[in-house]
Amino acid sequence: VKSKEEDKTVEKTPVVTKPVVTTPKEDYDLISEVISGSVGKYSVFGSVVAVNSQSFVLRDETGSILVYMSSSWSCDLKVGDVISLTGTTSNYGRARQFSSDSTYEVVSNEKINYGLAKELNANLCEQITSLNTIDVEYVKVVGTLQISGNYYNIRIDGTSIMGSISYPIDKDYLKSLNGKNSEVYGYLTGLSGDKYLNICATKISAN
């Protein structure tokens, strides 16, 4: 005679396989083409790799670009979202970006591999400010966090050039690091006032 425990039917949870999304190159522009081409309207396909309260960085296999959505943006994207986007480009801070007229649709989500960040030391910061065109790329900045009003800057030893954390979401956390040596990872998105390297941060911590 079987026991009640032996009679129980074990229900297996079905395994759901996440579909692999392949960039339909025939329908979308590559981000490298958007950056090198004329200012205008483009449609791209890529992964969200950084988000702040007013913008996000989109990356495909050819490059990365900032999408500026403005202070009225609902901030409804997260890192790892794979999206299709259509919008008009403009130049700001010596870098190409998509403007706030951009529309997008989330297709799926994936884990982001950032790879090795380029550390912006004093010499490299000076070199970047001398460029006519700045590439949006994954970087690391180490220095003292200094908060003044709505500005969240990183003072880097050996240079007057500063890192500037653009539109951070968790301002209370940053206040706890004010005046402390800090480490910032994120995407360099341009230059403001010939002195401030704008960064859409992905990770900020005490160093």
Side-chain angles (χ1 to χ4, degrees):
V1 179
K2 292 185 179 180
S3 68
K4 290 183 179 179
E5 287 296 322
E6 290 174 328
D7 256 349
K8 285 183 178 178
T9 302
V10 178
E11 294 185 3
K12 293 184 178 181
T13 303
V15 177
V16 178
T17 303
K18 188 175 180 181
V20 177
V21 178
T22 304
T23 306
K25 293 181 180 179
E26 68 276 10
D27 295 330
Y28 293 95
D29 303 295
L30 297 175
I31 288 178
S32 60
E33 296 172 339
V34 175
I35 294 169
S36 63
S38 302
V39 168
K41 190 172 184 178
Y42 294 90
S43 294
V44 294
F45 190 98
S47 303
V48 176
V49 291
V51 179
N52 61 38
S53 64
Q54 297 192 26
S55 59
F56 60 93
V57 175
L58 190 65
R59 183 183 77 182
D60 69 7
E61 68 272 19
T62 68
S64 303
I65 190 169
L66 180 74
V67 183
Y68 178 72
M69 297 302 295
S70 83
S71 58
S72 61
W73 182 44
S74 60
C75 201
D76 58 351
L77 291 175
K78 60 184 181 296
V79 170
D81 282 342
V82 179
I83 68 171
S84 59
L85 178 145
T86 298
T88 305
T89 59
S90 62
N91 295 320
Y92 181 82
R94 304 187 198 177
R96 183 64 53 86
Q97 66 178 31
F98 275 102
S99 302
S100 58
D101 67 348
S102 298
T103 58
Y104 52 81
E105 180 182 359
V106 178
V107 176
S108 66
N109 187 273
E110 65 179 10
K111 184 177 180 179
I112 298 300
N113 178 13
Y114 288 108
L116 186 65
K118 177 187 288 186
E119 184 164 356
L120 301 185
N121 57 27
N123 289 336
L124 193 51
C125 288
E126 299 285 350
Q127 292 175 25
I128 291 172
T129 59
S130 68
L131 298 174
N132 293 323
T133 302
I134 293 176
D135 293 328
V136 176
E137 57 183 334
Y138 185 55
V139 300
K140 172 186 175 182
V141 177
V142 177
T144 304
L145 177 62
Q146 298 181 335
I147 301 176
S148 177
N150 290 322
Y151 297 99
Y152 300 79
N153 299 323
I154 300 291
R155 181 170 293 282
I156 302 164
D157 286 343
T159 180
S160 61
I161 307 302
M162 303 180 75
S164 181
I165 303 169
S166 303
Y167 313 115
I169 294 174
D170 193 349
K171 296 180 181 180
D172 288 336
Y173 172 67
L174 290 186
K175 288 177 182 177
S176 73
L177 298 178
N178 191 22
K180 297 179 180 179
N181 195 44
S182 303
E183 191 174 71
V184 179
Y185 287 86
Y187 280 80
L188 173 66
T189 60
L191 181 69
S192 294
D194 295 326
K195 177 180 178 180
Y196 299 96
L197 298 172
N198 300 325
I199 298 171
C200 187
T202 57
K203 180 183 177 183
I204 306 170
S205 60
N207 186 32

